[in-house]
Amino acid sequence: MRAATVLVTGANGEIGHGLLTRLAADGRSIVTLDIAPLEPQLAKLVRREFTGSITDLGLLERILSEFEIDLVFHLAALLSTRSEFTPMSAHQVNVEGTLHLLEFAHYEGLSHGRPVVFMYPSSIAAYGLPDIETKNRAKRVREDEWNTPTTMYGCNKLYCEHLGRYYTRHYKQLAAEPAGHVDFRCVRFPGLISALTTPSGGTSDYAPEMIHAAAKGEPYSCFVRKDTRIPFMVMPDAIDALLLLAAAPRARLTRTAYNLAAFSPTADEICEVVTRAFPRASMTWNTDEKRQRIVDSWPAEVDDSAARRDWGFSPRYDFDHAFNDYLIPTITERYKS
Ligand code: AKB
């Protein structure tokens, strides 16, 4: 019998780095799919690496025929800023890529007689508040509120949440085939901050960029206003959340998509803690109005009580702990070496 294997798409990205390390430490057999070859330290952790696009059906078929996939982490995506520049490619990668992979998971589940757990990172970009006054009044936004995204990426994420729900509960409802070969589970991530990697193409990137630039001794010009507030989370908590939700008993899950929250600082509060840690940091403020409009449409805070109740989500890092005990020491060490 073939070993049950985890498929990670977009494995070279920020979440992929941490996730592959954790899956390998748990002894999981891993195959990856990424548009670029894996970095050497990640390649060592995986059983097989496929290089190519998530939109390449032939490649997905090859993976399907060679491996028994029981768990998918579908991380491949174009982020929000990048997607605004190339909306057609964003739709192709973010929506069509996800659709192909859901179809793939359906046939994988059908052929092995048990559902494939399909983990999908959605985003606070799935929300769209119409203006800053509404955002300031909104308080902790719940999953079903303000589902009116203003970006291509946000529309893609929200639609794919629905596709996942459809594949799990209703796929081919008029055909004779039994449904339920995909077990889609989704978190709406806030902005993520990793001490080990920097993101590219996102709009929440100002926070990680500010910290990494300061640690490297490079000047940084922040593209949002000082009072900009959106939720953030550090990467170890993001990885824990994905693994915890993947392992949760299906019967306990009352939703398709779950909010996650850890801390919600303003850009200025991040700048303060960073300049305290790196006193020679040079920070300036130069608002990019278009990117500002995107973050102004995202909630300042989200209500994560469903994730806490249904599957025990509980982030380890609040703002102070995240900076003092994870980000600053790890990033300092990283650039020293
Ligand atoms: C982005 O900025 O596009 C992402 C996100 C919030 O999903 N980091």
Side-chain angles (χ1 to χ4, degrees):
M1 198 174 130
R2 293 185 301 172
T5 297
V6 187
L7 169 63
V8 182
T9 73
N12 242 340
E14 281 220 285
I15 303 177
H17 272 78
L19 184 64
L20 290 190
T21 312
R22 289 284 299 276
L23 289 170
D26 288 348
R28 294 295 315 242
S29 155
I30 309 165
V31 297
T32 59
L33 172 58
D34 198 287
I35 196 79
L38 283 185
E39 289 176 14
Q41 84 273 17
L42 294 180
K44 288 199 296 249
L45 306 175
V46 312
R47 180 151 158 223
R48 181 83 161 274
E49 166 189 356
F50 291 85
T51 304
S53 168
I54 186 71
T55 59
D56 180 345
L57 283 173
L59 199 51
L60 288 181
E61 267 158 28
R62 252 178 74 203
I63 302 175
L64 180 73
S65 63
E66 288 184 40
F67 294 93
E68 182 170 329
I69 306 292
D70 67 339
L71 175 59
V72 174
F73 290 90
H74 177 34
L75 310 178
L78 300 190
L79 297 184
S80 53
T81 292
R82 165 93 190 273
S83 296
E84 287 312 291
F85 285 107
T86 54
M88 296 295 285
S89 321
H91 193 276
Q92 248 168 9
V93 172
N94 295 349
V95 174
E96 288 165 41
T98 304
L99 180 66
H100 293 157
L101 203 57
L102 282 164
E103 188 72 12
F104 160 99
H106 170 82
Y107 284 104
E108 192 73 5
L110 184 66
S111 78
H112 303 306
R114 59 173 194 281
V116 170
V117 174
F118 192 114
M119 296 301 302
Y120 183 69
S122 185
S123 161
I124 47 164
Y127 297 107
L129 292 115
D131 47 57
I132 190 77
E133 292 75 27
T134 314
K135 170 170 171 155
N136 291 340
R137 273 200 312 270
K139 301 281 182 290
R140 302 174 75 219
V141 171
R142 289 198 301 269
E143 284 89 347
D144 297 327
E145 296 175 318
W146 302 110
N147 293 155
T148 44
T150 65
T151 59
M152 176 52 106
Y153 171 75
C155 293
N156 296 164
K157 288 289 182 190
L158 188 60
Y159 174 60
C160 287
E161 292 180 10
H162 286 291
L163 273 182
R165 178 182 54 78
Y166 166 75
Y167 266 82
T168 300
R169 305 221 188 108
H170 310 289
Y171 183 60
K172 294 204 172 168
Q173 52 196 313
L174 299 183
E177 286 177 31
H181 302 297
V182 177
D183 178 352
F184 180 90
R185 303 168 179 209
C186 158
V187 287
R188 284 195 188 147
F189 275 133
L192 297 179
I193 314 178
S194 169
L196 304 175
T197 52
T198 40
S200 82
T203 319
S204 62
D205 294 2
Y206 61 90
E209 282 173 359
M210 201 185 282
I211 307 163
H212 283 263
K216 284 192 275 186
E218 291 173 358
Y220 185 69
S221 173
C222 184
F223 59 82
V224 296
R225 285 189 319 265
K226 288 187 178 186
D227 67 342
T228 303
R229 189 189 291 281
I230 60 166
F232 282 100
M233 170 183 275
V234 288
M235 197 55 81
D237 276 336
I239 308 290
D240 280 351
L242 283 175
L243 294 172
L244 199 59
L245 178 57
R250 178 78 225 176
R252 292 200 55 96
L253 305 183
T254 58
R255 312 190 49 82
T256 300
Y258 287 91
N259 277 343
L260 301 181
F263 46 87
S264 278
T266 61
D268 199 29
E269 283 162 352
I270 299 173
C271 180
E272 263 173 40
V273 71
V274 168
T275 43
R276 217 178 304 134
F278 303 102
R280 282 188 298 181
S282 154
M283 300 284 179
T284 48
W285 301 85
N286 184 12
T287 307
D288 174 328
E289 292 303 335
K290 292 182 180 159
R291 294 180 98 182
Q292 182 71 54
R293 267 202 296 281
I294 294 178
V295 282
D296 283 348
S297 77
W298 293 348
E301 284 186 76
V302 293
D303 180 341
D304 63 356
S305 52
R308 288 175 185 266
R309 182 196 61 224
D310 286 4
W311 45 277
F313 168 67
S314 175
R316 282 181 286 154
Y317 293 95
D318 62 14
F319 183 65
D320 289 339
H321 187 30
F323 277 84
N324 298 334
D325 304 315
Y326 166 64
L327 290 170
I328 290 167
T330 318
I331 291 179
T332 307
E333 196 51 41
R334 179 174 173 214
Y335 292 114
K336 221 192 310 169
S337 60

